[in-house]
Amino acid sequence: MANIVLEGVTKVYGQDILAVDNIDLEIREGEFMVLLGPSGCGKSTTLRMIAGLEEVTSGTLRISDEVVNDVDPADRDLAVVFQNYALYPHMTVERNLAFGLKLRKTPQEVIDRRIRDTTAMLGIDSLLDRRPSELSGGQQQRVALGRALVRDPEAFLLDEPLSNLDAKLRAAMRTELIKIHRMLGKTVVHVTHDQVEAMTMGERICIMREGRIIQVGPPLEVYRHPADSFVAGFLASPPMNLLKARLSGHHGVDEVDLSAVNLPIPRHRQAPLRRHAGSEVVVGIRPEDVHTQEPSDGTHHRVDITVVAVEVLGPEVILVADLGGGQEISVRQGATFHAVAGARIPLYIDLEQLHFFEVDSGLAVLHGGASGPVRPELGSYLKEGGP
Amino acid sequence: MSVATADGLTLAGRDRRFGLLLTAPGLLSLLIVITFPLFFTLFTSVHDYTLLTPNYDTFVGLENYEEALDEEYLPGSLWVTTKFVLASIVIEFIIGFAVALSLHATRRFGSIYYLILLAPLLINPVVVGLLWRMLLHSELGIINYAIGLVGISPVSWLGDADIAFWTVVLTDIWHQVSFMAILLVAGLAALPREPYEAARMDGASTISCFIHITLPLMRPVIAVAILLRMIFAIKTFDIVFIMTKGGPGTATDLISYYIYRAAFFGLDIGRASAMAAGLLVIIVALTAYLYRYMNSLK
Ligand SMILES: Nc1ncnc2c1ncn2[C@@H]1O[C@H](COP(=O)(O)OP(=O)(O)OP(=O)(O)O)[C@@H](O)[C@H]1O
Ligand SMILES: [Mg+2]
């Protein structure tokens, strides 16, 4: 088993394509770490550097406390599941699985046993004699996973391994991967741009943007305390509503002015905002922190809105509401909610749950809920200058 | 479902008619320069047509074919041809693959190497023959001069029966090896990259990557390259005609040159035509096989 440590790791492709920019990250032994970020942010590059398929331009890469910058991929004892499967097209499923073991001179009976166990676990034991071209995408996916699993490596590196599956199979494979991780206890680095995958699978999530790491933490932690407005706007679906606003009122922090509506700021939440008194901020409101019935705890503020659209998702409904002044928010409602577009209805916004971000840097100033001011250690992954 | 148009033809039908119209000139000229000589040869092969009696008065059926098969020197020529085809293709394949692999790994100046490699292919085979005949001339050739400088006595490249065969083989290789190399390098370029990365993670060395991934994935390209070269090698004529005239003795008497001799020295056009028809059958069979093989890859 292995921990993986990146220190100041940078990757430059060719002369000047900066793909990964001076990142620090520790992946603990046995941890399920998810690399999450939009397309082109350097997730694959990071994973490929760990695998040894891509040279590290500068910085140090350690696996099991050994510097491996110049170690051949074969000697790192990692298994990769490639985004595009990368199965051997001319080999049967069985030979695909056996190839790595044969190269490592594993005895035939051990190979047979491992293949039997792994394929049974993945439900592909009836496919052993087929070529990859004779398999569906989901089956190829499981073979690719199987090829990594039979190897019994130090750690698994998975590059968007579920991205090409249909929704149902993806959900099933998510569960399967979590089970396998729990069973084997091996270190896993899982790359994805799907925030649902990240939230449900990761023990910790590492959120990347433009080659940098923005935030690292357990899913709920990152969800509740996004380090900046980018993270806030990336997680969950629909994500946090981010609204342009200005702090105003008697002391410059008594209210937040959303142009058409003003929301009062509870007195006990005002202190961290003083630095920005009277200036522009970004206000974050989670879709679940807005209600159509007034809750009884007295922390909610009523605003009257115009219904723009109601999106029925089945178990829930997303209400898109116009606050006036060109500001729209999405609101999560139960399946029974009903309204027609154009109707005027009241909404109740939970004032305790408002998030505040700086306009220029996007950095969080105040998180919603009981957590209050931003905890410095959560921002520690932010590099100088911010995103 | 096909849609009928104003002139009563389906859309596909109109497409086909337009296509035929476009290809008609090309097809017609092909018909004239290929089909006509072909049928002329077949027609001649069943007549007693010699340059002494150049007429089609005597129909002899398959007699020319029987006579051709009974000829004393035919098996020898077939054997020389077989040896020639095997030797040149095996060596071309090995050199061609090595060149293709190194070209494939080259990052810089690739186009310059391609140009150098293509140069021999662009030369007319007659010129290739003349060129090498001069270079290899036992008294005047630069090659004997060069090996003389390091103390090796002159070699009779084209005069010695054993050496002449290999000289012709090597000349053909010099001329044709780039064809093999370029087909193979195109095949290598089309290989997927991912299995190699997977193999590196699986712990495969360069050699096991070559054996377990490159070779099997390249099999179709290799087969096509070899079949194509085989078809061309069987017909080799020019360099033998220029360099050795089939000699010394019958050391380089390839089948196409043998047929040529039957026609223009033996003056028996009928029998030569019969042998040409036989050669045609072999080549058509190989081509048909190649065609079917390439279709099976789709
Ligand atoms: N081989 C390469 N040569 C040059 N630039 C590259 C190469 N591979 C990636 N890049 C660039 O590096 C950046 C990061 O790419 P990377 O593949 O790591 O992104 P990613 O986060 O995996 O994106 P995706 O979610 O689309 O897979 C991108 O801007 C990309 O264009
Ligand atoms: Mg990627």
Side-chain angles (χ1 to χ4, degrees), chain B residues 112-123:
Chain B
I112 294 176
Y113 296 133
Y114 271 103
L115 204 69
I116 296 172
L117 205 60
L118 275 175
L121 264 187
L122 301 177
I123 304 174

Side-chain angles (χ1 to χ4, degrees), chain B residues 74-98:
Chain B
L74 181 69
S77 174
L78 287 177
W79 172 235
V80 170
T81 310
T82 310
K83 269 199 311 187
F84 173 82
V85 169
L86 284 181
S88 61
I89 286 178
V90 167
I91 299 173
E92 271 171 30
F93 175 70
I94 294 170
I95 299 177
F97 215 124

Side-chain angles (χ1 to χ4, degrees), chain B residues 126-175:
Chain B
V126 173
V127 179
V128 171
L130 289 171
L131 205 75
W132 281 98
R133 197 175 70 184
M134 285 187 242
L135 292 173
L136 293 167
H137 194 283
S138 46
E139 281 104 49
L140 308 173
I142 193 165
I143 293 188
N144 271 353
Y145 173 75
I147 65 173
L149 290 181
V150 292
I152 301 174
S153 48
V155 176
S156 176
W157 296 106
L158 297 169
D160 181 302
D162 287 332
I163 299 176
F165 174 78
W166 289 105
T167 304
V168 171
V169 168
L170 287 176
T171 307
D172 184 66
I173 290 169
W174 180 85
H175 186 205

Side-chain angles (χ1 to χ4, degrees), chain A residues 44 83 159-160:
Chain A
S44 293
Q83 181 167 357
D159 194 351
E160 310 207 19

Side-chain angles (χ1 to χ4, degrees), chain A residues 77-284:
Chain A
D77 198 16
L78 308 170
V80 178
V81 175
F82 293 88
Q83 181 167 357
N84 43 26
Y85 315 140
L87 297 175
Y88 306 120
H90 57 291
M91 298 184 194
T92 61
V93 168
E94 181 164 17
R95 286 188 58 214
N96 261 284
L97 296 178
F99 189 62
L101 294 174
K102 286 217 172 105
L103 286 173
R104 281 159 211 264
K105 306 253 180 314
T106 315
Q108 188 61 44
E109 64 269 19
V110 178
I111 296 180
D112 289 341
R113 180 164 42 79
R114 287 222 201 137
I115 289 182
R116 214 175 328 115
D117 295 350
T118 310
T119 52
M121 178 165 68
L122 294 171
I124 50 172
D125 38 358
S126 59
L127 307 175
L128 286 180
D129 295 327
R130 299 221 202 145
R131 299 266 173 101
S133 58
E134 299 160 341
L135 300 175
S136 74
Q139 292 167 333
Q140 291 184 34
Q141 157 70 57
R142 280 177 281 168
V143 174
L145 203 56
R147 185 173 61 180
L149 290 172
V150 287
R151 278 263 320 280
D152 192 28
E154 289 282 319
F156 293 99
L157 309 177
L158 318 177
D159 194 351
E160 310 207 19
L162 311 182
S163 59
N164 293 337
L165 305 184
D166 65 49
K168 191 172 159 212
L169 194 52
R170 184 181 311 185
M173 288 297 295
R174 267 200 320 249
T175 320
E176 197 61 39
L177 276 180
I178 295 169
K179 267 201 289 194
I180 290 170
H181 173 249
R182 216 170 278 149
M183 201 164 70
L184 302 177
K186 293 279 168 81
T187 312
V188 176
V189 186
H190 179 114
V191 164
T192 180
H193 59 245
D194 179 346
Q195 45 87 20
V196 178
E197 229 169 274
M199 294 296 285
T200 52
M201 299 177 77
E203 287 173 338
R204 284 196 302 157
I205 304 180
C206 165
I207 297 169
M208 297 183 69
R209 180 194 189 186
E210 290 171 11
R212 294 164 181 229
I213 293 177
I214 306 295
Q215 189 172 7
V216 180
L220 270 184
E221 188 74 21
V222 177
Y223 181 75
R224 289 194 182 127
H225 310 290
D228 67 5
S229 53
F230 167 75
V231 176
F234 196 73
L235 291 179
S237 169
M240 186 186 285
N241 297 290
L242 295 169
L243 305 174
K244 269 196 186 163
R246 176 183 293 280
L247 293 173
S248 62
H250 187 52
H251 297 102
V253 287
D254 296 332
E255 299 191 326
V256 54
D257 177 1
L258 297 170
S259 72
V261 293
N262 284 8
L263 302 177
I265 299 172
R267 184 163 297 276
H268 67 273
R269 302 197 68 201
Q270 288 174 4
L273 297 172
R274 291 231 163 82
R275 210 152 43 93
H276 300 276
S279 49
E280 292 201 338
V281 289
V282 172
V283 169

Side-chain angles (χ1 to χ4, degrees), chain A residues 48 84 86 88 90 104 151, chain B residues 194-195 197 199 201-202 212 216:
Chain A
R48 291 170 58 83
N84 43 26
Y88 306 120
H90 57 291
R104 281 159 211 264
R151 278 263 320 280
Chain B
E194 298 82 22
E197 296 196 327
M201 296 314 299
D202 266 345
H212 295 293

